Amino acid sequence: MSFQDQTVVVTGGTRGLGRAVTLGFLEAGATVYATYRSDEAAANALADRCAEWPGRLRLARFDVADHDAVEGFWNDLESAVPDGVAVLVNNSGIRRDALLALMAPEDWSRVIETNLTGGYAMSKFAVRHMLPQRYGRIVFITSPSGRLGFEGQANYGASKAGQVGLMRSLAKEVAKRGITANCVSPGFVQTELLEDLSEAQLAEYRKLVPARRFGTPEEVAFAVRCVAAREASYINGAVLEVNGGL
């Protein structure tokens, strides 16, 4: 799968799963705009790692939950990328776990705003950007949490289930213009999102996976490139599970 001469936007693209997605597209020939909200150290480390691809990694710092900031980012791309953005990967996501009865209102709101509303805003302006070229690939990174539910993740599960509904509506709206929208749904993947779990929790989650292991960010990044490829023009409105059989 070649992404030569294509421009790709990856939200939350400087660390964890997003970092692997960014690197995968760079290795496949793309120019990548990797967005991030606050972690300058991770952004600088990624820039150092990508020195072998001079000029093809662009970093953009803003909050995807800020509609005005998202609009400003896409407005800047109008002149910076005259050939148009080909791929958007909505990867930005946070977790603030708590039992629903004890969940603070701000923890509910912040997770929904980042994971779901951020995907809405980025996709809204991506579609406007892609329509004139009659081509585009929009990918949401969702989660089995939206389908299965996990204790203490009502906010996260709701945001991820919402992403699937958003994607499926969008897929029907833009298909005639050569744009596809799909989800990639990773199971348990070895990223910083697992770092705050105890060894006992990790052991229990590992038992749930028929493959008896957690996935790697690179395995998920491969799936993202699959549904983002030009050859994937008839894959639309789909959820690709990458979860070891969960």
Side-chain angles (χ1 to χ4, degrees), residues 62-73 110 113-114 117-118 121-122 125:
F62 64 93
D63 186 351
V64 296
D66 182 338
H67 188 275
D68 291 341
V70 171
E71 183 175 14
F73 168 74
R110 186 58 191 168
E113 288 167 0
T114 299
T117 305
M122 288 296 294
F125 292 106

Side-chain angles (χ1 to χ4, degrees), residues 117-167:
T117 305
Y120 143 75
M122 288 296 294
S123 300
K124 170 183 175 179
F125 292 106
V127 167
R128 294 181 181 182
H129 187 90
M130 293 170 175
L131 284 174
Q133 58 190 348
R134 302 186 68 87
Y135 179 84
R137 301 283 184 263
I138 298 175
V139 184
F140 295 83
I141 306 299
T142 185
S143 167
S145 181
R147 174 172 55 89
L148 301 174
F150 294 105
E151 292 181 9
Q153 291 190 353
N155 49 2
Y156 187 75
S159 72
K160 293 301 179 178
Q163 284 179 333
V164 176
L166 167 60
M167 174 276 293

Side-chain angles (χ1 to χ4, degrees), residues 230-244:
R230 286 191 177 278
E231 296 84 351
S233 55
Y234 206 56
I235 302 174
N236 191 37
V239 178
L240 175 57
E241 303 280 355
V242 188
N243 57 27

